[in-house]
Amino acid sequence: MAYTITHFAPETRGRIDAFFNRFGQGMNAYLEAKAHSARIEALEAKTDEELARMGLTRDRIVAHVFRDTYWL
C-alpha cells in the first residue's frame, strides 16, 4: 500500500513555494533576455539603409530594444 502526503507543515510549504517562486522568476528573466538578444541580433543584421528607414542608427539598437524595460 502506498501513502501520499497531502499536508505539509507551514514552514515546509513556505520553503517549497519560495523555491518555485525563485525558479519562475529566473525562467522569466532568462526568456526575456533571450527575446531581447534575438531582437538585437535581428536588427544588427540589417543594413544601415534598412535601419534608417526604421528611424534607427546602429548605436541606438540596444536602447530601441530595451525601451520598454528601461528609459534609454
Side-chain angles (χ1 to χ4, degrees):
M1 180 176 230
Y3 292 96
T4 302
I5 297 173
T6 58
H7 176 73
F8 292 105
E11 60 275 359
T12 303
R13 180 173 292 280
R15 288 197 314 257
I16 292 169
D17 289 345
F19 168 79
F20 283 109
N21 186 13
R22 286 190 306 271
F23 180 78
Q25 289 175 348
M27 286 299 294
N28 285 344
Y30 169 77
L31 293 172
E32 187 173 326
K34 187 77 169 162
H36 284 312
S37 64
R39 181 77 174 130
I40 290 170
E41 288 175 11
L43 288 172
E44 287 178 342
K46 293 185 179 292
T47 65
D48 288 338
E49 291 78 24
E50 289 173 318
L51 290 173
R53 281 193 296 269
M54 297 174 66
L56 285 174
T57 57
R58 291 208 178 273
D59 62 336
R60 298 298 300 161
I61 289 175
V62 173
H64 175 74
V65 171
F66 283 94
R67 72 188 180 281
D68 62 335
T69 307
Y70 305 105
W71 295 332
L72 297 176

